[in-house]
Amino acid sequence: MNKAEAHIRIEELNRILHYHNHLYYQKDTSEISDLEFDTLLNELIALEKAYPDLIQPDSATQRVGGTVTKEFASVTHKYPMLSLSNTYSESEIAEFDERVVKSIGQRTDYVCEMKFDGVAISITYKNGILAQAVTRGDGVRGDDVTNNIKTIKSIPLKIQGKDVPEEFEVRGEVYLPYEMFERINKEREDVGEALLANPRNAASGTVKMQDSSIVAKRGLDCFIYSFLKDGETPETHSAALQQLKNWGFQVSDSYKICKSVEEIWSYINHWGEARFKLPLATDGVVIKVNNLLLQSELGMTAKSPRWAIAYKFKAEEAFTPILSVEYQVGRTGAVTPVANLAPVHLAGTTVKRATLHNANEIERLDLHEGDTVFVEKGGEIIPKITRVDLSKRKAGSKRIEFIHACPVCSTPLIRIEGEAAWYCPNDIGCAPQITGKIEHFIQRKAMNIDGIGTETIELLYQKKLISNVADLYTLTYDQLIQLDRFGEKSVNNVLAGIEESKKTPFKNVLFAIGIRYVGATVAEKLAMHFKNINNLKTASQQALLEAPEIGIKIAESVVTWFSNPKHTELIDKLAAAGVKLELSENEIITIDSDLFLGKSFVISGVFEKYDRDELKEIIIKNGGKINSGITGKLDYLVAGENMGPAKLEKAQKLGIKIISEAEFEKLLNG
Ligand code: IVH
């Protein structure tokens, strides 16, 4: 396909993909299967890769991300992003209504909306196309996070509809649904990373991530709640919301027109309970004057509009006595204290347990046996203990001291410098660590072994049939058939699942063996870079740091893991069992041209069109070589934005050809 043909096909693919995206995300229906959709999308990705200058700003590929931004550009808001004044009481809502009525000299309607708990975003559309998305920042200037926002599927890249103004802004709240939040924290727990405190923090951290392809995987979503434009606008806020909905924006159906303080109050009371059934965190209700002319008549104070107010729900709190504190040992050996509570009703559920996080937290609370504690469930899903009701403390009750020995295997606990957690170091003898590691190994994202669950693993361990992940591969029919509840069919199922797992790609195996900080994404990067376990095992910390996106924390963790002879023994056993410990041929990049044969490249800085991995892949695919450092023998330094001045200076001194992204493209296109 030549460039002109590619151009036509790219436009056609975008039309088709936008149409199906619109059906799927805005109309909740679909006309093609996921596979058909992905096939079209992949065709578009391939064409854009071949002809990067044909990428359109509203391309459907923007949804999968790929750009890396080191520093977000600061942008001045066309209309400042104000905040709302808060209230916690019915009487203050009545006062707000009185102020409004007095100021405009008439009664008026309000729109009540849920106050979504995420991060505010302002998005500008020009000629129907998403042009720029900016965070609130200080209200006057914010960060340009367009590439990250484009990955949110419910935000249209291109408006489908009638009477779309040439230029307008929408504002809304970017949020992380509870389900996604829990998934991310599960993944973080899996690799021993600190957990994110609540969905709001997780959303704001995600919006500011440098790599938009990671943002795309996180599952952010957005509710739009305002429409701004110069000149003529709809008469009311509710009409504007309807208009936005018609244009394909996601507007929450929870809004309601209220004609009196009583109606507002009943809206608040209804959602005060009903909000716990929503899939996202909310922290209040926003009350807005519906008529937009009246809104501008009311104007604003220095900080917030006079036409709106936020009623904030009180953080749901309950108090209840602690029955006991127990200690859980995780896969990594980290010991987490958990409080068992007298059951208490809180935020739509009955709470019986609350995490105490670590020893510091027990100390901070100065917890004593039998204390009555306040439990809170704010944006958090796992309830937490906020404070102790000292008036209820029984005289002479004993302080709760964090344990010094493992509750399971009695090994003295250790603390790793700089970490809050205490660990049981007995990783090969402590039951929950062993079964936890095996559970991690078999999960879907790892070796995906069907037919085995938590209970089976515990049973196999108790019967001394397995004590590490490699032992799974030595299990026999005769051993399994003797177990309770195991019939011929289930035994064959388990054995088939184990056999099948030998085909699992190397990157999954690397994730499955459970090196701390090596999550699924990092495992993939390491697999692609080092190609087999031997290269990885023998890699120095420096060599690891040179791999794409590997930082010091991961590099150290990998080196430490392989320096343990028990781990290398385990790898040997997995190898003997036939588990894949190298990339298969189709995973290794194939060379399609010798354009760069004999030429070496160093890539440094941040690029507009490609991320660094893509550039590396293009170079390798065309026969070139990637060097790690700048030496006299280097042919090209591909220099992006923000590259280190020392590197640049060294290359200049050595007379190396320094080329920009555009010059690299020219080179590529001959
Ligand atoms: S309207 C003049 N509507 O609350 C401000 N804000 O404290 C207009 N928020 O920064 C904002 N849900 O991030 C509005 N339905 C909603 C909202 C909402 C959440 C957030 C928003 C804003 C903050 C104001």
Side-chain angles (χ1 to χ4, degrees), residues 82-84 113-116 120 136 173 225 286 288 305:
L82 305 170
S83 61
L84 293 167
E113 292 168 15
M114 292 310 289
K115 190 169 186 300
F116 310 107
R136 188 178 122 87
E173 198 80 353
Y225 52 64
V286 184
K288 303 174 180 176

Side-chain angles (χ1 to χ4, degrees), residues 322-338:
I322 289 190
L323 302 177
S324 63
V325 173
E326 65 179 47
Y327 297 85
Q328 292 178 342
V329 184
R331 164 174 78 84
T332 58
V335 177
T336 310
V338 177

